[in-house]
């Protein structure tokens, strides 16, 4: 038994089709602009997504009987994504596109084909995969940026509110805030420098050298002992023995080194992944300082008492909400929930020190 044909299209249906049409065009444009800023496999994937959006666009054009004389504007999100994709082409755009693909209207649309519904689900997984690639590339630096800036925001807000609640003068609060900024930023920078330098020194100490291979011709036993060197470096028993046999044979024949050479578990690439100790230290200093300066701004500009506290709370609140929402968008989670969580954590820490300042208040000095 064949399925009943859809009811004749109404004006509301045609308006809905026109809205689908402009949204498909806008999404296709996003993928095209992202593709122009990529290369290789990612470029091909994004162009494939843009082509699929054109097929969906053509479906609605066919139903409408051609290009309508007037079309609605695409949604704010789609227009914003298009502008961002053309200017930035960043993981941020892919994360927003992932959220957009997750809300397909075609599941309840009788005029959408089963293939289109399936396409939308596939598109979501494809965009999520591309976004995941970017998140992996970004995860280390983004974590450090969020951690550094938020640490500065929360710790210095807690410091100035706690000091201010004791009743000391505004000048003392300002001095405490600047001192907290410098102390925290210097501590972050020094800690990052020591951490990265120590990791680079550890990698250097674990790198393989050529001593064992150079002595292969003088071994007083067979290649089994040299194979132990490679096994200690993580090579399997069979492959380690085969490599040892080639090196011993070449060494005894007067060949100093074969093309295969010894196995290096760690190489110069490891040092590049770890990064520069000075770069890490300076970036940590600046990130912490960029967050820690915000709670001090009211006192820097001459505000005092309750007015300074309120302005500091507003400034820090906006910063916490912004970083929380950004984390939510990039992680594919709900931005509002992440923003409110960030705000609650930051204000909660500040409230503790403020209450302690009230309890141990010493009066104005």
């Amino acid at each position: 038994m064949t399925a009943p044909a859809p009811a004749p299209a109404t004006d509301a249906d045609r308006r809905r089709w026109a809205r689908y049409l402009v949204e498909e065009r806008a999404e296709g444009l996003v993928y095209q602009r992202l593709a122009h800023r990529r290369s290789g496999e990612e470029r091909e994937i994004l162009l494939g997504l843009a082509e699929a959006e054109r097929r969906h666009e053509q479906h609605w054009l066919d139903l409408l009987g051609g290009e309508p004389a007037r079309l609605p504007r695409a949604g704010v999100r789609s227009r914003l994504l298009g502008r961002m994709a053309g200017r930035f082409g960043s993981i941020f755009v892919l994360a927003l596109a992932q959220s957009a693909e997750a809300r397909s209207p075609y599941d309840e649309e009788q005029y959408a084909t089963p293939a289109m519904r399936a396409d939308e689900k596939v598109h979501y997984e494809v965009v999520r995969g591309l976004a995941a690639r970017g998140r992996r590339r970004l995860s280390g630096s983004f974590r450090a940026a969020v951690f550094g800036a938020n640490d500065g925001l929360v710790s210095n807000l807690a410091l100035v509110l706690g000091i201010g609640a004791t009743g000391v003068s505004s000048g003392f609060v300002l001095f405490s805030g600047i001192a907290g900024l410098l102390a925290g930023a210097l501590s972050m920078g020094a800690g990052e420098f020591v951490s990265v330098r120590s990791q680079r020194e550890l990698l250097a100490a674990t790198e393989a050298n050529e001593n064992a291979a150079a002595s292969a011709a003088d071994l007083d036993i067979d290649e089994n002992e040299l194979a132990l060197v490679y096994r200690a470096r993580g090579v399997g028993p069979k492959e380690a023995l085969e490599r040892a046999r080639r090196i011993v044979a070449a060494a005894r024949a007067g060949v100093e080194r074969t093309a295969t050479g010894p196995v290096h578990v760690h190489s110069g690439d490891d040092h590049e992944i770890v990064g520069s100790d000075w770069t890490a230290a300076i970036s940590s200093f600046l990130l912490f300082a960029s967050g820690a300066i915000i709670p001090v701004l009211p006192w820097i500009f001459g505000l005092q008492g309750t007015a300074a506290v309120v302005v500091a709370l507003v400034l820090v609140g906006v910063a916490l909400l912004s970083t929380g929402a950004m984390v939510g968008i990039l992680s594919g989670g709900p931005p509002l929930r992440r923003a409110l969580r960030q705000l609650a954590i930051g204000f909660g820490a500040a409230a503790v020190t403020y209450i302690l300042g009230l309890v141990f208040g010493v009066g104005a000095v």
Side-chain angles (χ1 to χ4, degrees):
M1 186 179 207
T2 60
T10 64
D11 290 340
D13 290 330
R14 296 183 65 83
R15 287 194 297 270
R16 194 170 65 255
W17 298 344
R19 189 170 66 252
Y20 291 151
L21 172 63
V22 296
E23 289 295 332
E24 293 289 2
R25 282 181 177 172
E27 290 178 11
L29 182 62
V30 168
Y31 295 134
Q32 281 183 318
R33 288 178 172 174
L34 286 174
H36 291 324
R37 305 180 70 90
R38 296 291 198 278
S39 60
E41 184 183 37
E42 287 192 14
R43 177 184 175 88
E44 294 178 6
I45 292 172
L46 288 164
L47 290 175
L49 289 173
E51 178 60 31
E53 301 296 353
R54 280 193 289 272
R55 292 197 303 270
H56 295 181
E57 174 190 340
Q58 188 60 48
H59 172 80
W60 301 117
L61 277 174
D62 292 342
L63 286 178
L64 288 165
E67 184 80 15
R70 296 183 60 184
L71 284 171
R73 295 187 70 188
V76 174
R77 177 190 288 265
S78 298
R79 297 200 306 273
L80 178 63
L81 279 177
R83 294 193 186 98
M84 292 175 64
R87 294 183 180 180
F88 306 110
S90 66
I91 175 58
F92 193 73
V93 179
L94 282 172
L96 288 172
Q98 176 186 336
S99 300
E101 292 287 2
R103 295 186 297 273
S104 171
Y106 293 162
D107 289 339
E108 307 298 328
E109 175 55 63
Q110 63 172 330
Y111 290 96
T113 66
M116 292 171 65
R117 298 187 188 100
D119 280 350
E120 292 297 310
K121 291 180 173 58
V122 171
H123 290 182
Y124 170 74
E125 293 298 331
V126 172
V127 175
R128 185 173 69 168
L130 291 175
R133 290 185 182 188
R135 289 186 185 109
R136 284 192 292 271
R137 291 193 294 264
L138 185 66
S139 59
S141 57
F142 181 70
R143 182 200 64 80
V146 171
F147 173 72
N150 267 27
D151 193 12
L153 277 169
V154 175
S155 63
N156 229 26
L157 176 67
L159 175 64
V160 296
L161 290 190
I163 294 293
T166 64
V168 298
S169 66
S170 296
F172 192 84
V173 175
L174 176 59
F175 172 79
S176 301
I178 298 298
L181 183 156
L182 290 173
L186 288 169
S187 175
M188 288 282 290
E192 198 70 15
F193 179 88
V194 171
S195 174
V196 174
R197 174 62 66 87
S198 299
Q199 191 169 357
R200 290 175 67 88
E201 290 172 349
L202 179 63
L203 286 173
T206 57
E207 283 185 350
N209 58 52
E210 310 298 328
N211 294 340
S215 303
D218 300 322
L219 288 175
D220 58 359
I221 58 174
D222 59 22
E223 60 272 1
N224 291 327
E225 188 165 336
L226 183 58
L228 296 178
V229 175
Y230 298 115
R231 292 184 63 182
R233 296 175 189 171
V235 179
K238 291 183 178 179
E239 184 181 354
L241 184 59
E242 181 60 30
R243 288 175 182 270
R245 285 172 177 166
R246 289 199 299 268
I247 288 175
V248 170
R252 287 174 177 166
V255 179
E256 184 176 345
R257 179 182 175 86
T258 64
T260 55
V263 178
H264 293 278
V265 177
H266 298 288
S267 67
D269 292 340
D270 294 304
H271 295 277
E272 297 303 320
I273 293 171
V274 173
S276 165
D277 40 24
W278 280 108
T279 301
I282 293 171
S283 61
S284 293
F285 179 95
L286 294 176
L287 286 168
F288 184 95
S290 68
I293 193 64
I294 294 176
V296 190
L297 288 176
W299 285 272
I300 291 178
F301 287 100
L303 294 180
Q304 301 179 11
T306 304
V309 170
V310 171
V311 173
L313 288 172
V314 171
L315 292 176
V316 173
V318 171
L320 289 172
L321 288 171
S322 300
T323 56
M326 189 177 299
V327 169
I329 291 172
L330 290 175
S331 64
L336 180 59
R337 185 183 304 171
R338 300 290 195 278
L340 293 176
R341 181 183 67 183
Q342 205 93 324
L343 183 68
I345 293 172
F347 278 10
V352 172
T353 58
Y354 185 76
I355 293 171
L356 288 174
L358 291 176
V359 171
F360 297 102
V362 295
V365 294

